[in-house]
Amino acid sequence: YKIEGWERNPAGPVFDKKKTQPPFKGIGGNDYAANFADFLAQRSPDRPFCFWFGASEPHRSYQKGSGLEQGKRIADADPPSFLPDHDVVRSDILDYCVEIEWFDSHLGRMLDLLEQTGELENTLVVVTADNGMPFPRAKANCYEYGVHVPLAIRWAGRAPAGRIVDDPVSFVDLAPTFLEAAGIADVNNSRSPLPMAGRSLVALLESG
């Protein structure tokens, strides 16, 4: 498995053999949750695990009118103030929501699988995105809708639930967070020859 010079994928083997029939064009055919089930079935039950659910949804292009076809209403769309309040824009937002819900449905199935295997309460779950919504003045722009991406973290028994934390954090903070959660001490040791750029979020997650 060669990828950009690597003899193997440093993130681990790919689990993508299970396929499904998506409801609309633009949505991929990978059955993410079924592939996660394959991963869980082959893991060593006595060892920690890490799985990266890297969905391509929501991602343009969307099937035009898919939101309306799914029963959503133009009036329910809420365009941000920097976009024209027009039915075309509203319909496009509804199409975007269809793909968000596709992602959410697979995530929900994955959380159910973790619960069924008894791992949910012992797993740190991080849900985020690599960019803002794919609309003008958002994705690939350094405005609020471009740099403020979704981030939800579940860590049963360690992170109090139901909170909204408005501290600014960054993706570079995730690696030291995972290391500290795994019991690797002093991940931000400034005396290290290669100190990590990010800061662990463990203390923030555990704060009340």
Side-chain angles (χ1 to χ4, degrees):
Y1 190 129
K2 292 192 175 183
I3 177 171
E4 297 185 1
W6 294 87
E7 291 298 321
R8 63 181 181 85
N9 187 339
V14 175
F15 289 82
D16 63 356
K17 292 182 179 179
K18 297 290 177 63
K19 305 298 180 182
T20 188
Q21 181 61 47
F24 299 107
K25 294 178 181 178
I27 295 178
N30 272 334
D31 191 332
Y32 301 112
N35 288 310
F36 181 54
D38 285 350
F39 167 80
L40 290 176
Q42 62 81 53
R43 83 194 195 287
S44 299
D46 59 341
R47 297 184 61 188
F49 65 85
C50 176
F51 185 85
W52 176 16
F53 165 32
S56 60
E57 300 85 20
H59 202 282
R60 289 192 182 275
S61 57
Y62 313 133
Q63 181 173 321
K64 186 176 181 180
S66 56
L68 294 174
E69 188 175 331
Q70 217 179 47
K72 302 183 186 303
R73 302 182 307 168
I74 287 290
D76 292 336
D78 185 18
S81 59
F82 54 83
L83 293 178
D85 190 355
H86 189 281
D87 283 359
V88 170
V89 176
R90 285 176 172 264
S91 182
D92 195 37
I93 290 175
L94 297 180
D95 299 345
Y96 172 49
C97 290
V98 166
E99 295 209 2
I100 292 174
E101 290 170 353
W102 181 259
F103 170 92
D104 287 349
S105 68
H106 282 270
L107 175 62
R109 288 168 58 195
M110 291 179 180
L111 293 174
D112 288 342
L113 286 166
L114 285 173
E115 187 169 30
Q116 293 164 18
T117 56
E119 296 287 3
L120 182 59
E121 300 307 300
N122 191 37
T123 302
L124 171 60
V125 180
V126 177
V127 182
T128 187
D130 61 352
N131 48 248
M133 61 189 294
F135 288 79
R137 210 176 189 271
K139 180 178 179 179
N141 288 271
C142 290
Y143 295 111
E144 179 68 9
Y145 274 67
V147 299
H148 189 175
V149 300
L151 178 62
I153 300 177
R154 184 189 194 279
W155 198 9
R158 298 287 295 272
R163 295 184 303 152
I164 296 177
V165 180
D166 57 8
D167 298 54
V169 300
S170 178
F171 286 164
V172 296
D173 299 324
L174 293 179
T177 301
F178 297 152
L179 292 176
E180 184 174 349
I184 299 175
D186 203 13
V187 294
N188 292 121
N189 184 355
S190 60
R191 297 185 299 276
S192 169
L194 291 172
M196 303 198 79
R199 305 290 297 181
S200 172
L201 303 177
V202 168
L204 179 63
L205 293 173
E206 292 182 330
S207 66

